[in-house]
Amino acid sequence: MNTYRVLEIKKTVFSGNDERAQKLRADLEQRGVFLLNLMSSPGSGKTTTLMKTIGALKDRFRIGVMEADIDSDVDASTIATSGVKVIQLHTGGMCHLDAEMTRQGLENLATEDLDIVFLENVGNLICTAEYDTGAALNVMILSVPEGDDKPLKYPVMFQRVDAILINKIDALPLFDFNLERFRKHITELNPKAQIFPISAKTGEGVESWVTWLTNEIHAWKTIHTTTKGE
């Protein structure tokens, strides 16, 4: 039987969040724990994509997952079937996680035996992007049915991420989603962001995403292992 804890995390205020995020980031670097903040709107396929990613990585890394929702434990229950360590975070009505909430989650997850922690943030494209969680990498998922105009409507999200997964590309023939138009929007907002068209359902494009992520994790660990040894 798969088990996991449900944690009711305490609310904090925006003031001072950047300082707390920096402190948490430095602490994770010292411990060698790579934290990835995964954001998207509801229904984008975030949990399904995470399951595919875990399946590709769990033989190479020790993985933990923090599932953040206003309520319910549906996603944690799904992730638990993968066999990785998981904790459910209830945000008490808050539409995002901040650095202190993330710290509380990590403390209860217990990261001593982990290499990577995925934080599946609360589903929305607005306030999740405004709060630094202390993550080493920020990634978002946009699904094809949502439309290619979302960078124009929610620019902060697209400006702050390191990578964008365009999910449900198997549905491209059914929707008016223009990949080239989308790439143009991102080039104007955040030219350094990596873009990966994928289908979490069929697995198309997932290998390229996982390869890039693996390289990012190894590079991060090399830098911080070297720093600790100096």
Side-chain angles (χ1 to χ4, degrees):
M1 180 178 178
N2 296 304
T3 60
Y4 51 87
R5 296 180 61 194
V6 176
L7 176 66
E8 305 289 340
I9 55 178
K10 298 177 183 178
K11 300 177 184 179
T12 61
V13 294
F14 185 81
S15 177
N17 184 69
D18 287 349
E19 290 80 3
R20 286 190 288 270
Q22 285 292 76
K23 183 177 179 181
L24 177 58
R25 189 174 291 109
D27 181 49
L28 291 171
E29 289 170 358
Q30 283 294 314
R31 288 190 274 155
V33 178
F34 185 95
L35 176 63
L36 187 149
N37 179 28
L38 184 61
M39 300 173 284
S40 78
S41 59
S44 66
K46 195 158 67 260
T47 303
T48 304
T49 301
L50 186 51
M51 286 289 285
K52 285 283 189 182
T53 304
I54 289 169
L57 293 177
K58 68 179 183 178
D59 290 337
R60 287 176 271 180
F61 300 103
R62 299 169 298 173
I63 299 172
V65 176
M66 297 191 296
E67 285 289 341
D69 281 300
I70 292 174
D71 207 344
S72 92
D73 61 353
V74 173
D75 292 339
S77 181
T78 299
I79 294 296
T81 65
S82 70
V84 302
K85 185 187 287 189
V86 59
I87 188 171
Q88 179 73 55
L89 308 180
H90 286 166
T91 64
M94 301 289 281
C95 63
H96 67 276
L97 258 68
D98 63 16
E100 174 58 21
M101 294 173 176
T102 303
R103 185 197 63 76
Q104 291 176 45
L106 289 165
E107 187 176 276
N108 282 270
L109 180 66
T111 61
E112 294 82 4
D113 59 346
L114 299 177
D115 300 308
I116 311 167
V117 174
F118 290 98
L119 167 59
E120 185 175 336
N121 216 317
V122 181
N124 74 83
L125 295 181
I126 304 173
C127 52
T128 53
E130 296 176 351
Y131 289 80
D132 189 347
T133 61
L137 205 65
N138 292 294
V139 176
M140 74 156 296
I141 300 174
L142 179 75
S143 63
V144 165
E146 294 174 79
D148 57 34
D149 60 347
K150 290 302 176 287
L152 304 178
K153 295 182 177 182
Y154 306 100
V156 174
M157 170 65 76
F158 292 90
Q159 287 168 339
R160 296 189 177 180
V161 294
D162 301 290
I164 301 162
L165 307 183
I166 306 174
N167 191 26
K168 305 185 183 181
I169 58 170
D170 51 303
L172 275 172
L174 305 176
F175 294 92
D176 183 23
F177 191 107
N178 187 306
L179 279 171
E180 290 311 309
R181 186 163 58 212
F182 178 82
R183 290 181 188 277
K184 183 176 182 294
H185 294 329
I186 298 305
T187 298
E188 293 170 353
L189 284 171
N190 183 2
K192 293 183 180 179
Q194 301 293 310
I195 299 174
F196 298 96
I198 70 165
S199 170
K201 180 180 179 180
T202 68
E204 183 180 355
V206 172
E207 184 178 354
S208 294
W209 147 244
V210 168
T211 297
W212 178 83
L213 177 57
T214 300
N215 290 337
E216 289 293 307
I217 295 168
H218 283 313
W220 182 90
K221 287 184 174 291
T222 298
I223 290 169
H224 297 296
T225 300
T226 302
T227 301
K228 284 192 290 185
E230 290 177 349

